[in-house]
Amino acid sequence: MKLFSILFYLVLGCISHLAAQDSLKSISNPPKKTPKNVILMIGDGTGLAQWDAAQSTQKDNLQVFQMAQAIGFSKTSSSSSFITDSGAGATAISIGEKTFNKAIGVKKDSTSAYTLSEILHVEGYSTGVIASCGLTHATPASFYAHQPSRYMEREIAQDFYGGFIDVAAGGDYTLFDTTKLKKAGYSCYNYQKIKSSDIKASRYVLFYDTVKEVKKISEGRGPFLRNATMKAIESLSSNQKGFFLMVEGSQIDWGGHDNDLNYVISETLDFDTTIGMVANWAKLNGETLVIVTADHETGGLSLTGYDKVNKKTEGSFSTKEHTAIAVPVFAFGPGSEEFIGVYENNEIHDKILKALKAQGLK
Ligand code: MG
Ligand code: ZN
């Protein structure tokens, strides 16, 4: 009898242990949700040292560090060079294949490849491109244009009239023909002249100004990046199928090329504020995958000290060019688990399509 009751409790113990394990499993592995929207945020030239330099000026954790549910590393070399440029870097993400430096939306044999925006446009998503630099610069261009060189800016602008981008914001007004834009179905706005609430059109280009250049944040650009981004999200989210939006913090890279730490920090903080607003929106929305990464690191930056008297981070740059060091990838929302690990930059393309369960075009 005693042996029987010992056996009885042993079996009962095993069953309840298994049941507890099962319920634990279901807590740690909730059913995977498919995101409806994807917001890809590229800090041009933003390696870990750039993020950390910005972090050193803040009491609270950077927004990008707070939002990250999944962290990975992207290896940025191009098909032609150990050190990529922004054309090959953004194109790898956009088309899913590594290509040669200076390429915009073309494969390494110079033939056009479908960009994420084209693929998702065809699948019924709305699409957008936003930059704190000119719209024909390498990073934004890689999401809508197909040219063998980033310096063919007039041809890049021509490719925009193809019309599969719904919403765009940035500089380079002087390279675009507003008559052609209107013919392609876009309303054109000048950010200096309007309030973003005045934008009623669902397809529009918001130019930073009527000049080519976009100002530095330290020289009075103001909240252009965050305002343009939140307006774009508002416009694009009227599509029930979902949207794909690329947002670039463009000038972090320029601070790196100038070996100007203050420039790097102020542009990174501006980008981070935008990330915080996007993350808050995505949290409420619950159906949006947000990915924050870089095309490459710029300047070979390291943080070498802290000047307590002047309350200033001290950094040292090892080059005026880009470097080949891997860059962090931070992801939030449904599908973010895809971005854990160490992988090549072009795999980000596949991970986005996989998260969306989209087919892709070949
Ligand atoms: Mg760029
Ligand atoms: Zn650069």
Side-chain angles (χ1 to χ4, degrees):
M1 191 59 200
K2 212 174 183 181
L3 185 69
F4 176 76
S5 57
I6 288 171
L7 271 174
F8 177 77
Y9 283 110
L10 213 65
V11 170
L12 199 72
C14 274
I15 291 170
S16 63
H17 181 69
L18 283 174
Q21 265 194 337
D22 244 32
S23 64
L24 263 181
K25 233 188 233 165
S26 64
I27 291 168
S28 58
N29 290 323
K32 281 181 188 165
K33 253 177 86 179
T34 306
K36 181 172 159 187
N37 314 306
V38 174
I39 304 175
L40 171 64
M41 305 184 74
I42 300 179
D44 198 317
T46 314
L48 187 55
Q50 282 76 4
W51 290 120
D52 254 353
Q55 177 63 83
S56 69
T57 68
Q58 303 294 299
K59 207 164 81 246
D60 296 325
N61 225 357
L62 285 183
Q63 297 291 331
V64 67
F65 295 162
Q66 289 183 45
M67 64 80 107
Q69 291 177 327
I71 295 174
F73 282 104
S74 164
K75 297 192 258 183
T76 67
S77 290
S78 71
S79 74
S80 65
S81 172
F82 184 49
I83 297 173
T84 190
D85 81 314
S86 292
T91 296
I93 298 174
S94 176
I95 72 168
E97 287 180 38
K98 287 193 187 267
T99 185
F100 56 93
N101 282 12
K102 310 212 173 6
I104 300 294
V106 297
K107 299 183 207 178
K108 58 182 176 205
D109 63 3
S110 293
T111 59
S112 293
Y114 291 113
T115 63
L116 277 175
S117 338
E118 282 164 301
I119 293 166
L120 294 172
H121 168 81
V122 169
E123 294 214 7
Y125 294 82
S126 290
T127 59
V129 167
I130 293 176
S132 48
C133 70
L135 278 170
T136 65
H137 281 227
T139 314
S142 296
F143 288 85
Y144 66 81
H146 306 280
Q147 296 296 339
S149 169
R150 59 186 294 177
Y151 299 115
M152 297 165 71
E153 286 188 84
R154 295 228 164 253
E155 290 81 355
I156 288 169
Q158 288 285 331
D159 284 352
F160 188 90
Y161 309 136
F164 57 85
I165 297 289
D166 295 299
V167 165
D172 279 350
Y173 175 81
T174 51
L175 286 172
F176 286 87
D177 180 337
T178 48
T179 312
K180 283 186 180 163
L181 280 174
K182 279 172 193 156
K183 234 181 182 168
Y186 295 100
S187 297
C188 299
Y189 299 101
N190 175 359
Y191 177 75
Q192 307 302 328
K193 289 270 159 65
I194 57 142
K195 289 199 289 280
S196 57
S197 56
D198 296 341
I199 299 175
K200 302 285 182 232
S202 59
R203 285 167 61 78
Y204 65 86
V205 182
L206 176 62
F207 286 106
Y208 169 74
D209 203 346
T210 48
V211 295
K212 188 174 186 309
E213 304 301 329
V214 177
K215 282 182 183 167
K216 296 177 181 183
I217 195 77
S218 63
E219 291 175 357
R221 183 168 76 235
F224 171 70
L225 189 63
R226 71 197 74 151
N227 288 350
T229 300
M230 298 318 290
K231 183 65 204 181
I233 289 173
E234 185 194 317
S235 310
L236 294 170
S237 54
S238 66
N239 183 341
Q240 289 312 304
K241 170 78 180 175
F243 67 82
F244 170 69
L245 174 65
M246 194 290 296
V247 180
E248 185 196 23
S250 315
Q251 299 195 29
I252 302 164
D253 172 69
W254 302 357
H257 284 294
D258 286 355
N259 284 186
D260 179 341
L261 190 57
N262 290 334
Y263 193 2
V264 167
I265 290 173
S266 57
E267 292 293 337
T268 305
L269 288 175
D270 179 57
F271 188 44
D272 188 60
T273 303
T274 307
I275 292 166
M277 293 176 76
V278 167
N280 283 337
W281 180 86
K283 224 174 273 176
L284 285 172
N285 171 266
E287 301 182 290
T288 302
L289 167 63
V290 183
I291 305 143
V292 181
T293 189
D295 47 358
H296 52 75
E297 194 273 350
T298 306
L301 177 62
S302 190
L303 305 186
T304 50
Y306 191 79
D307 176 349
K308 282 185 186 155
V309 181
N310 296 308
K311 293 198 170 68
K312 257 189 136 173
T313 307
E314 291 165 347
S316 168
F317 292 91
S318 57
T319 174
K320 293 235 167 195
E321 305 299 328
H322 302 165
T323 69
I325 197 160
V327 292
V329 182
F330 305 97
F332 169 86
S336 57
E337 65 279 351
E338 295 291 338
F339 295 86
I340 297 170
V342 182
Y343 37 82
E344 299 292 340
N345 54 2
N346 55 309
E347 290 177 56
I348 293 172
H349 172 100
D350 308 342
K351 289 174 187 294
I352 289 173
L353 293 182
K354 193 177 162 205
L356 285 171
K357 298 196 171 69
Q359 299 304 307
L361 296 170
K362 290 284 170 237

